[in-house]
Amino acid sequence: VTEESISFKTTQIFDIDHFQQVFNNAHVCSENGRLEFIADTSPSVGLCHCNTLRCTNCGKKTPVTNFASIDPVKSVQQEPNTLLVIAVATTGISYNATKCIMSTLGLSITSEVAFLHQLHKYYDALHFFAAQKFQQIICELKHKYKKQKQIMNVTISLDGTWKRRGHVSNYGIVFLIHVDSGKCIDYEVLSLLCEKCNIRKATLSSKQFKKWYQKHQPYCQKNFNGTSKSMEKIGTMKLFERSLANGLRYRSMLCDGDSSAYEAIKYYYINKEQQQILGSDEDMHSVDSKDSSGEGSDGEESGGEDLLVIKEDCINHVTKRVMKHLTKLKQEKTQRIPATTTTMKSSTSLSSSKKQPARQQQLLDDNKKWGDGVG
Ligand SMILES: [Zn+2]
Ligand SMILES: [Zn+2]
């Protein structure tokens, strides 16, 4: 029952347990009283509604929200709205798509600005949470190997993934995985775009934009300027730059076929060491260390070999490559060739009991078939 007429269709979603609880405890006069439900039909923003239960006898009202409200209602985001933002954040669907889906059910959601604000807050919290979690994992690893107070050498595996497949995406993320434990210990997001910049660019004149950009620059989300293809390489470099601060040295690196990322950081720790030496006593080393950077030969001298990043190949990738070539080779060698061209000495005795095939398999040097028994 509603007091006002409903001019447009409104829907509410209810937490049934919460509703039941309020309903059971709501005041209603035992004689001549019944409960009247007064729906909140005011144009709402978001999924929260403040309905009322009213005793028809004495008129006493009991407020009933569709979800248990979190105080203060005005400034704290309420549960259904939070859940929606989290759902959007984890699935990656847009505000407009969400609004469209919700409105088909007669549900209205918060304004775009408020929604995106919440969404970004959620992403920030997630990023912060991940960073904390990574620190915890690194601490545990260092504790396990009793290397709490020194820089620990580890083997890592890197993998980049793109928002859109096929190396044409504007966003990429590079994950860094500690191989022995299989845990992710860091990641780097690379963006070819900044949404704020794009909006301003469209609305401001180039002069105004330049002025605005000067203030915006430190917060600009565009942190990468190159082809999508080189994203993995840049991401890898950024991850290596953070490694020593995390108390780790990525000594060995597991790669797939593409080695451009490896080439970029191969001498990272050697160069870093040289920079430190240069910083401490510039006069002594300034000449000879300059030309040795980037050279392969400097790995042998002054303990530099320990600092050279080693490339390791994933056994699965090697297996794949070897299998591909072996299968091809086997196919080539086991192609049936006309029987007339082979010498019939031993093969006749082998196949005399069976029907003589028109064509027969090419044999190995010891007259055995390919692929028979142990190779
Ligand atoms: Zn009453
Ligand atoms: Zn920007």
Side-chain angles (χ1 to χ4, degrees), residues 204-241:
L204 298 176
S205 70
S206 61
K207 221 177 186 181
Q208 283 173 312
F209 177 77
K210 259 182 200 162
K211 208 175 171 189
W212 172 83
Y213 185 76
Q214 277 180 347
K215 276 187 191 165
H216 164 72
Q217 202 170 14
Y219 312 102
C220 191
Q221 284 170 355
K222 180 177 172 165
N223 61 354
F224 173 65
N225 202 349
T227 59
S228 300
K229 243 186 167 178
S230 62
M231 219 181 282
E232 194 163 304
K233 186 177 130 191
I234 305 292
T236 304
M237 285 162 75
K238 291 200 175 193
L239 287 167
F240 269 73
E241 277 164 25

Side-chain angles (χ1 to χ4, degrees), residues 286-351:
S286 57
V287 186
D288 51 26
S289 52
K290 237 179 202 170
D291 52 0
S292 65
S293 65
E295 289 283 321
S297 56
D298 68 329
E300 280 101 56
E301 59 195 53
S302 70
E305 204 167 0
D306 293 337
L307 297 172
L308 184 75
V309 180
I310 297 164
K311 181 176 187 274
E312 290 181 11
D313 271 305
C314 170
I315 191 98
N316 288 326
H317 284 109
V318 177
T319 310
K320 230 184 190 169
R321 282 208 297 271
V322 171
M323 263 320 278
K324 201 179 127 196
H325 287 292
L326 280 178
T327 312
K328 200 179 147 204
L329 194 67
K330 189 187 168 189
Q331 260 173 8
E332 274 172 17
K333 293 293 181 187
T334 54
Q335 264 175 1
R336 285 170 186 261
I337 52 167
T340 47
T341 58
T342 52
T343 49
M344 304 290 276
K345 270 182 224 164
S346 57
S347 50
T348 39
S349 61
L350 269 169
S351 53

Side-chain angles (χ1 to χ4, degrees), residues 3-4 13 48 72 97 105 147 158 172 187 210 217 223 228 257 280 288 301 324-325:
E3 278 187 342
E4 301 144 35
I13 44 173
C48 284
L105 299 167
K147 295 265 170 83
L158 281 156
Y187 66 84
K210 259 182 200 162
Q217 202 170 14
N223 61 354
S228 300
S280 57
D288 51 26
E301 59 195 53
K324 201 179 127 196
H325 287 292

